[in-house]
Amino acid sequence: MAYVHLPYHHIFIVVDLKSRLEGRIDRQALIKYLKDNPQEKVVLFDIAVNEDMPLGWRAAWMLRHIASPNEPLFKTFLPMAVNSIHLFDDSKQREWLKIVSKLDVPQELQGILYDHCVNVWLDISKHAALRISAFQWIARMVSIYPDLISEVKLLMAPEYVDALTPGIQGTFKKLIKVFD
């Protein structure tokens, strides 16, 4: 697992932020708190990458709500997140895919993420929600790199689509309309 190394004085911030992530989260209050204390975004990122469920997922969920393509923190830590995403459990992987979908991912990381998403998509034992999030990234890559379309059409074989729930199959059908 990749770790964000924090100075010693951040230990109290970590404890405070962890306590804010436990139990019921008031998202708007936490967003305001992070806006008022921007140094804690690094701590939130650390928790999101390094903590197990449910705390790691909650921190990633919160990061998704503050993610911005122009946020320097996300640009700084994006390589670590992309290179670590395969280590996360399914729920946390899905949350990270939602985060990166809001960001401008540099070309050198797009291939790593694309390969990961293809592997997730092909693994029909994975949760359908994670698989469709992975396919959404794949579809995004096709919109950037149209030459991928023939490869991606192979990924749309019935054995991969039929394993999705009916609701997620509907989302899938909407996604692939752009491929025609």
Side-chain angles (χ1 to χ4, degrees), residues 17-65:
L17 193 53
K18 281 184 178 181
S19 68
R20 289 175 182 272
L21 291 169
E22 293 172 349
R24 185 158 166 75
I25 298 174
D26 181 344
R27 183 179 61 185
Q28 294 306 321
L30 193 50
I31 288 171
K32 182 183 179 334
Y33 175 77
L34 292 166
K35 194 175 273 190
D36 294 344
N37 301 283
Q39 73 280 3
E40 295 204 31
K41 290 179 184 177
V42 174
V43 177
L44 185 66
F45 198 97
D46 178 62
I47 294 169
V49 170
N50 297 310
E51 291 289 333
D52 291 328
M53 291 292 284
L55 207 55
W57 176 86
R58 288 172 175 241
W61 175 81
M62 200 61 235
L63 280 173
R64 177 170 53 95
H65 289 286

Side-chain angles (χ1 to χ4, degrees), residues 43-136:
V43 177
L44 185 66
F45 198 97
D46 178 62
I47 294 169
V49 170
N50 297 310
E51 291 289 333
D52 291 328
M53 291 292 284
L55 207 55
W57 176 86
R58 288 172 175 241
W61 175 81
M62 200 61 235
L63 280 173
R64 177 170 53 95
H65 289 286
I66 64 169
S68 163
N70 300 321
E71 173 75 47
L73 175 71
F74 287 98
K75 289 179 180 180
T76 301
F77 291 112
L78 187 61
M80 180 177 52
V82 168
N83 287 306
S84 301
I85 198 168
H86 68 282
L87 301 172
F88 303 150
D89 62 57
D90 288 0
S91 297
K92 207 158 112 174
Q93 281 185 46
R94 181 172 178 245
E95 207 57 43
W96 277 102
L97 288 174
K98 290 178 180 181
I99 291 168
V100 298
S101 72
K102 296 174 80 173
L103 304 175
D104 296 326
V105 178
Q107 190 173 5
E108 63 271 12
L109 295 176
Q110 290 174 357
I112 296 167
L113 203 51
Y114 177 82
D115 288 344
H116 173 71
C117 288
V118 167
N119 290 332
V120 167
W121 174 253
L122 295 175
D123 185 350
I124 61 171
S125 70
K126 296 280 188 189
H127 292 281
L130 171 59
R131 292 184 63 233
I132 198 65
S133 293
F135 196 84
Q136 287 168 330

Side-chain angles (χ1 to χ4, degrees), residues 114 135 138-139 142 148-157 179:
Y114 177 82
F135 196 84
I138 293 167
V142 168
L148 290 173
I149 190 71
S150 58
E151 177 182 327
V152 172
K153 284 190 175 186
L154 296 173
L155 301 175
M156 296 188 281
F179 295 164

